[in-house]
Amino acid sequence: MEEKKIRLLDSRFAGFLAGRSRLSGKEREQFQSIVCRLSMGLGAGDSCLPVTELEEEVITRSGLAGMENKPLCLFNNCVYLQRFFEYEKTLAEKIGMFATDSIQLAKDGSLLDTLFGKEAANETDWQRVAAEQALIKSFLIISGGPGTGKTTTVLKVLALLQSVSRHSLRIALAAPTGKAAMRLQESIGASVHHLPLSQSIIKSIPDQASTIHRLLRVKYQSPFFWHNAENPLLFDVVVVDEASMVDLALMSKLVNALRPGSRLILLGDKDQLASVESGTVLADMTCALPENTVELQKSYRFDGSIQRFAEAINGGRSMDAWNLMKSDDPVNISLLQEDVAEYGGEIYCRYMAAVRKAETLDDYKNVFSVFQSFKILCALRKGRTGVSGINDRVERYLTGKGYDCFSSTWYSGRPVMITRNDYALDLYNGDMGICLPDPDNPECMKVWFERFDGSLQGLLPGRISNCKTVYALTIHKSQGTEIGEVLVVLPERDSEIITRELLYTAVTRAKQCVKVKSSRSVFDLAVAGKIERHSGLALRLV
């Protein structure tokens, strides 16, 4: 949410509950105000609303609060919607059980040396520490910034667990979005055959990853999944990448579907943005359960300049970060002086040139690669510096260069992002597609999506109802991706949504180059701002 405004949903919901309360007069008005603030908070990512003693009394007298069969619930000086209270309660109870449960496997020092090298006397190998912890803990968080080797570490952890286990472990790899799942699958697939272990162990590592929704098996047109406490997953180990993106509801449902005796390993960067939906689940768990958390601290492949830039932002050192952009060295960190649409449009001209040359599915794979090499990341959705404004301006720039983006809604090269899960088509919020001709029937346009096995799937545009053009996308939507060059666009004025976590997440999407379009004042406010969400999860876990 870009600003804390009262939505129609908030006011109507508050009025609905107030009209069904036992209250009247000023007490009803006060109750309605409380419910409205609770609804607004849920829209901003809170899972609950802190209340005063007097407000608790009003809520209690409303007759609408209780532990069962009531819409509201009071707990720890906070008011919840009942379903969010249940999500938090279930998650805390299940994680608490996993965190204290021990399924200890024998430590094999020589195998650890084979996988991680011999221990240095003067330096802690945090990847090795994570592997040792995975042998004795049922629940483990492996946290770390970009390039610290989270995926490499978990691959070695899985190989270690398989090697010392008495039976072959059933392992599931998952992520919150299709793109993140594909990245996890590609990373595991590219590294697994380099392990200095037997072929039987290598073959026991799964080569497929899925979204969490697919793992739990969605019930069509239902918020529930087939796998739950009564019908648990059969896996011995479940690995979830990009765990910072998982919201309270989904994490609760995932953990509730784990069978007793299984292991859960979460990978993520605790300093990244929290989920778009409610909660700050990964940050809450790393804070409350340090004994179940290993933070990787050494970067192995992340560009050093981008790393310093990201660390300055994450550390709240605005001046250091600004000076890096203003300096001629490094050359890959800079402030953009040109117009955003002109700079981005010129780069996208290269992409459209690749689109024009593409004729086969192999060519289309190259188009996806070119498109993924650059992204404009915006803090806001609307306005001149927001996604909608910049997408429109880029399309106009491309049209001026001979690439007509307005002759048809579905023109060749139009990149789109799915905005709502479509389980029938196996498309999920955040999946990206590109409109290109069918190679077998060039008169027919299709929207092509990369699938988990590396193939491309083409769908007729009429089947895709919820999508948006995506030359520019919000920073939230960029989570779980790696991009060659990013152009980060901050608003012209301060906004409550502009925070340190937002800027850090945008910068750490880049592999080679970062450009920022911002004034000094807005940049300073962004680095100073911190996300503050109301959640009771950490207190429940302590």
Side-chain angles (χ1 to χ4, degrees):
M1 192 168 64
E2 293 172 12
E3 293 181 4
K4 288 188 177 180
K5 295 179 180 178
I6 298 177
R7 304 167 297 174
L8 182 61
L9 171 65
D10 303 325
S11 60
R12 291 289 177 85
F13 177 65
F16 175 82
L17 286 191
R20 283 151 182 77
S21 72
R22 300 171 183 169
L23 305 172
S24 61
K26 289 187 177 181
E27 278 198 332
R28 177 182 285 193
E29 291 178 6
Q30 187 178 5
F31 176 76
Q32 185 167 337
S33 174
I34 294 168
V35 175
C36 187
R37 285 189 286 123
L38 172 61
S39 181
M40 289 171 62
L42 293 174
D46 296 336
S47 57
C48 58
L49 174 71
V51 289
T52 65
E53 288 186 19
L54 290 176
E55 288 174 329
E56 282 195 43
E57 293 173 6
V58 171
I59 295 168
T60 301
R61 287 196 294 271
S62 73
L64 298 177
M67 291 299 180
E68 293 182 2
N69 301 320
K70 299 287 184 180
L72 303 176
C73 183
L74 286 166
F75 184 78
N76 274 353
N77 306 120
C78 292
V79 61
Y80 292 78
L81 279 185
Q82 187 68 238
R83 68 187 179 99
F84 286 97
F85 174 79
E86 292 297 333
Y87 289 146
E88 195 174 275
K89 177 173 176 286
T90 298
L91 180 57
E93 289 176 351
K94 293 285 186 176
I95 287 294
M97 292 168 55
F98 274 94
T100 55
D101 195 12
S102 176
I103 313 175
Q104 189 156 346
L105 295 173
K107 180 177 177 180
D108 187 330
S110 61
L111 183 55
L112 284 165
D113 288 344
T114 298
L115 288 169
F116 297 96
K118 292 188 178 296
E119 293 183 88
N122 58 348
E123 183 180 1
T124 301
D125 184 345
W126 292 105
Q127 292 191 2
R128 182 180 178 121
V129 171
E132 292 172 344
Q133 290 297 300
L135 290 172
I136 62 176
K137 294 186 184 297
S138 298
F139 174 60
L140 181 66
I141 300 170
I142 301 176
S143 179
T148 51
K150 296 185 290 294
T151 308
T152 301
T153 302
V154 82
L155 171 60
K156 294 179 179 180
V157 164
L158 296 178
L160 179 65
L161 292 174
Q162 287 283 27
S163 298
V164 301
S165 178
R166 295 178 182 176
H167 63 276
S168 181
L169 299 173
R170 293 163 294 188
I171 300 169
L173 304 176
T177 67
K179 193 68 178 178
M182 286 179 65
R183 275 190 55 217
L184 174 62
Q185 180 175 301
E186 290 167 358
S187 182
I188 294 288
S191 304
V192 66
H193 296 290
H194 299 294
L195 290 175
L197 299 173
S198 68
Q199 284 299 307
S200 62
I201 295 297
I202 289 174
K203 289 179 180 179
S204 70
I205 306 297
D207 58 2
Q208 298 290 314
S210 73
T211 61
I212 298 173
H213 287 81
R214 183 184 292 175
L215 179 69
L216 296 177
R217 292 185 58 205
V218 172
K219 287 187 176 181
Y220 186 61
Q221 292 187 335
S222 167
F224 302 105
F225 296 99
W226 286 106
H227 288 293
N228 50 40
E230 288 70 42
N231 181 33
L233 295 164
L234 298 178
F235 297 103
D236 301 299
V237 182
V238 174
V239 175
V240 178
D241 196 12
E242 298 291 350
S244 64
M245 298 171 63
V246 185
D247 63 84
L248 175 64
L250 186 57
M251 187 67 82
S252 177
K253 292 173 183 178
L254 170 65
V255 172
N256 201 36
L258 298 177
R259 68 174 185 80
S262 59
R263 279 178 158 84
L264 175 62
I265 301 174
L266 302 181
L267 310 178
D269 186 344
K270 63 180 177 58
D271 295 317
Q272 274 191 34
L273 279 169
S275 62
V276 175
E277 303 298 331
S278 62
T280 51
V281 176
L282 185 67
D284 286 346
M285 290 194 292
T286 56
C287 177
L289 300 170
E291 66 278 9
N292 293 85
T293 302
V294 176
E295 184 168 0
L296 307 182
Q297 299 172 21
K298 181 179 179 180
S299 181
Y300 294 88
R301 60 172 173 78
F302 198 46
D303 179 271
S305 302
I306 298 177
Q307 183 179 1
R308 292 199 306 276
F309 188 47
E311 287 174 350
I313 291 168
N314 198 36
R317 303 192 307 275
S318 178
M319 182 177 293
D320 291 347
W322 186 264
N323 288 339
L324 276 172
M325 291 191 293
K326 295 288 287 183
S327 171
D328 293 332
D329 183 25
V331 295
N332 62 337
I333 310 290
S334 62
L335 274 170
L336 181 71
Q337 303 299 330
E338 305 103 290
D339 178 76
V340 169
E342 290 184 6
Y343 179 83
E346 188 59 37
I347 293 180
Y348 280 126
C349 279
R350 303 172 204 165
Y351 158 72
M352 293 300 282
V355 167
R356 279 189 175 176
K357 294 177 182 177
E359 296 179 349
T360 67
L361 288 181
D362 284 341
D363 293 337
Y364 288 2
K365 290 180 181 180
N366 178 61
V367 169
F368 273 89
S369 178
V370 173
F371 181 69
Q372 192 59 24
S373 67
F374 171 76
K375 287 289 183 301
I376 303 173
L377 305 184
C378 304
L380 305 180
R381 293 191 299 271
K382 298 179 181 179
R384 178 177 170 80
T385 59
V387 168
S388 59
I390 291 176
N391 274 320
D392 180 70
R393 289 164 58 206
V394 167
E395 285 186 316
R396 293 185 184 281
Y397 183 91
L398 292 174
T399 299
K401 294 293 184 178
Y403 303 101
D404 193 351
C405 301
F406 295 101
S407 59
S408 170
T409 300
W410 293 102
Y411 59 85
S412 185
R414 181 192 174 195
V416 297
M417 174 177 281
I418 299 300
T419 57
R420 184 179 299 175
N421 294 341
D422 189 328
Y423 303 117
L425 296 178
D426 198 24
L427 294 177
Y428 298 92
N429 190 351
D431 286 353
M432 290 189 192
I434 297 175
C435 184
L436 295 163
D438 186 341
D440 297 326
N441 181 13
E443 298 299 317
C444 176
M445 300 300 292
K446 287 188 175 181
V447 186
W448 298 86
F449 294 89
E450 294 179 299
R451 309 315 290 176
F452 288 95
D453 61 0
S455 65
L456 295 178
Q457 178 187 14
L459 298 171
L460 292 172
R463 300 185 67 188
I464 302 170
S465 57
N466 297 291
C467 66
K468 292 183 177 179
T469 303
V470 69
Y471 293 106
L473 67 157
T474 63
I475 296 169
H476 272 284
K477 291 292 188 181
S478 73
Q479 287 181 273
T481 62
E482 286 185 351
I483 305 161
E485 176 184 345
V486 300
L487 168 55
V488 184
V489 182
L490 298 184
E492 295 170 344
R493 298 184 302 275
D494 182 33
S495 170
E496 290 182 358
I497 198 172
I498 312 303
T499 63
R500 182 183 306 173
E501 293 89 348
L502 190 83
L503 189 54
Y504 172 82
T505 299
V507 166
T508 54
R509 298 309 90 211
K511 292 192 292 184
Q512 286 103 28
C513 182
V514 176
K515 292 185 183 297
V516 177
K517 184 68 171 180
S518 175
S519 67
R520 175 66 187 269
S521 60
V522 171
F523 185 84
D524 286 346
L525 288 169
V527 175
K530 290 281 289 178
I531 288 179
E532 292 184 7
R533 285 187 172 181
H534 298 304
S535 166
L537 181 61
L539 285 175
R540 289 176 185 262
L541 290 170
V542 173

